[in-house]
Amino acid sequence: MKRLLPLSLMAASSLLYADMSTQEFLYKDARIMGMGAANTAVGGYSTAVFYNPAGLINIKQSHGVEVELLGITVSGSKDAKTFIDDLNDADDDNADPSDDTTEVIKQHAGETYNISAADYSSVSYHTESDLAFSIGLLAATDINLLPHGNGSANGILETHSRAYGGIVLGAAKKYKNVMGGDLTVGLGLKYISQKSYEAGLDEGEITAHSDDLGTYIQDTYEITNSGFGVDVGILYEPSILDGWHPALGLSIMNIGTLDFDDVYGAQPMTVNAGVSIAPEVPYLSSFIVAVDYVDIMNAQQARVRNYNPYQSEDQYDSVDISNDPMQHLRAGVSMGIFDNSWITTTLNGGLYQGAYTAGLDFQLTLLKFQFATYQEQLGAEVGQIEDRRYVVGIGLGW
């Protein structure tokens, strides 16, 4: 099954089982994921446009024009490489390697595997008049595989896929002395195009196309869509609790045409709320505690097979999922250890969908490095299917 690996190299052929992964956000910043993905009332990075555009106002003025180039992140499940290696090594001496391929898939039945890559490059600026703006380019792809034992209604290897990208714009303006505090209003605009692939491959398909499976998936299941989205958000900082710097955030994301005709990768319009404090702590350059409750209206849906194998573009439907509060809860802590013109180091930790997260953000002059781990809940309920993921990011910035 050596021809399966090229799937991971094709930006247009990423595999993601959408029925088992929430899609509230188009981009998951390693720095924010390490903090439990709680960013609605925090911001501070150019990637705030994916959580609450009002958070752009917390980009530090002292940084001047903030540039992030080649902000490449790669993430994967704990044993994803093992599964890919097993497929590639599937009995090279076997006269019919496709037979051995199906056996490898069956041996890994019940597991979940993810490999993803993304690049978000951006330019941002926080002016002296308390106006912040950002422009960025996004390119991302995911590979997720769900092997099934002895075949099922979803085949022996379920694949849901997308590769996507586009341009993202954001702006935020702070108004002082509003209702006893400072009020920031944010606006985001984005254009996203994607190629999506969604199928449950049966044993016959795997056997017949073992030498060109990536090409077969492209030719048979590829669907192209594009759309515009508008994001609005507010950030309110009340003038209370001196030294604690409390903030409240609210965002409405993905207003517009990002439903992509109800195919995989559709972005639901979500309403998200958050609260944070940033007390001054001795010996730390920063200390932030944040809690978010995302997708308040439970707009996120699951993708379920409709058992129609004869219409490749209509094999899956979107259905509502149970409203489990833990699926919506995000909480985190960020501790700045160093922050000067030469080195910046931040440690992060938190809670994401009921499981721990941890992360490190390190910058040495122009070189940036991030690491994070979090656990994705891949089912309609917390604990149904869990996938621990690890993220590494590297880039240039100043």
Side-chain angles (χ1 to χ4, degrees):
M1 186 58 179
K2 288 193 173 183
R3 303 314 193 271
L4 185 61
L5 185 57
L7 289 173
S8 64
L9 305 178
M10 296 188 308
S13 184
S14 60
L15 303 176
L16 183 66
Y17 37 91
D19 52 331
M20 298 187 191
S21 185
T22 57
Q23 298 295 319
E24 308 101 295
F25 301 108
L26 286 165
Y27 180 76
K28 294 181 176 180
D29 188 324
R31 296 166 295 189
I32 297 172
M33 294 309 298
M35 192 182 163
N39 195 253
T40 304
V42 179
Y45 303 119
S46 64
T47 53
V49 293
F50 297 104
Y51 301 84
N52 180 357
L56 290 171
I57 203 66
N58 286 333
I59 292 175
K60 294 182 178 179
Q61 286 181 327
S62 60
H63 288 183
V65 177
E66 187 171 283
V67 179
E68 295 187 272
L69 294 179
L70 299 177
I72 298 172
T73 61
V74 178
S75 67
S77 303
K78 177 181 178 182
D79 297 318
K81 184 177 184 300
T82 300
F83 180 54
I84 296 297
D85 287 345
D86 287 349
L87 288 173
N88 289 332
D89 296 338
D91 200 356
D92 292 336
D93 297 329
N94 195 324
D96 187 358
S98 61
D99 289 343
D100 203 54
T101 296
T102 57
E103 288 304 313
V104 169
I105 292 174
K106 292 176 181 179
Q107 290 171 8
H108 288 265
E111 301 296 330
T112 59
Y113 302 106
N114 163 269
I115 302 174
S116 304
D119 173 31
Y120 186 67
S121 297
S122 63
V123 178
S124 307
Y125 183 49
H126 185 173
T127 72
E128 293 182 359
S129 58
D130 272 331
L131 172 66
F133 58 86
S134 180
I135 179 170
L137 295 176
L138 171 67
T141 184
D142 301 286
I143 301 169
N144 288 262
L145 305 172
L146 181 60
H148 298 294
N150 300 317
S152 71
N154 293 342
I156 66 169
L157 182 62
E158 190 170 4
T159 70
H160 301 246
S161 65
R162 66 172 178 161
Y164 58 97
I167 185 168
V168 183
L169 307 174
K173 172 63 177 176
K174 178 181 286 189
Y175 300 92
K176 295 185 177 180
N177 301 316
V178 177
M179 297 182 294
D182 295 340
L183 178 67
T184 299
V185 179
L187 175 68
L189 302 172
K190 53 182 177 267
Y191 171 78
I192 302 294
S193 63
Q194 73 161 25
K195 294 182 183 293
S196 61
Y197 310 79
E198 194 167 38
L201 303 175
D202 60 34
E203 190 165 346
E205 289 176 289
I206 298 291
T207 300
H209 301 282
S210 60
D211 291 334
D212 62 346
L213 189 58
T215 301
Y216 170 72
I217 291 174
Q218 282 186 292
D219 293 343
T220 307
Y221 299 106
E222 181 175 287
I223 303 174
T224 301
N225 290 97
S226 61
F228 290 91
V230 177
D231 309 313
V232 294
I234 60 173
L235 194 63
Y236 177 64
E237 301 166 88
S239 300
I240 59 174
L241 301 176
D242 290 344
W244 288 80
H245 306 291
L248 304 173
L250 179 70
S251 66
I252 304 176
M253 309 295 292
N254 306 321
I255 305 167
T257 61
L258 293 179
D259 57 354
F260 298 140
D261 296 325
D262 200 32
V263 301
Y264 167 67
Q267 293 294 300
M269 185 183 78
T270 61
V271 180
N272 316 287
V275 59
S276 70
I277 56 173
E280 299 171 5
V281 178
Y283 309 111
L284 295 179
S285 62
S286 65
F287 184 79
I288 301 171
V289 180
V291 178
D292 282 7
Y293 195 85
V294 304
D295 191 14
I296 295 172
M297 307 304 293
N298 201 40
Q300 181 67 41
Q301 292 184 308
R303 301 289 288 171
V304 176
R305 189 81 180 268
N306 64 17
Y307 310 110
N308 184 3
Y310 302 106
Q311 298 183 30
S312 62
E313 295 187 5
D314 190 30
Q315 289 196 27
Y316 286 81
D317 294 320
S318 294
V319 299
D320 293 333
I321 61 178
S322 62
N323 190 359
D324 188 331
M326 290 304 296
Q327 288 275 34
H328 303 263
L329 184 64
R330 315 284 190 262
V333 177
S334 176
M335 296 181 293
I337 309 301
F338 302 107
D339 187 1
N340 55 51
S341 58
W342 292 97
I343 184 172
T344 301
T345 304
T346 305
L347 298 178
N348 301 314
L351 185 73
Y352 176 81
Q353 295 187 342
Y356 79 89
T357 68
L360 168 68
D361 178 22
F362 176 79
Q363 181 171 353
L364 180 62
T365 61
L366 300 181
L367 181 63
K368 293 188 173 186
F369 171 81
Q370 295 106 30
F371 169 80
T373 179
Y374 67 98
Q375 183 167 280
E376 196 77 66
Q377 297 290 339
L378 305 180
E381 298 178 355
V382 171
Q384 184 176 10
I385 302 176
E386 299 174 336
D387 185 18
R388 170 62 57 180
R389 298 181 181 180
Y390 301 88
V391 187
V392 175
I394 190 169
L396 299 175
W398 58 88

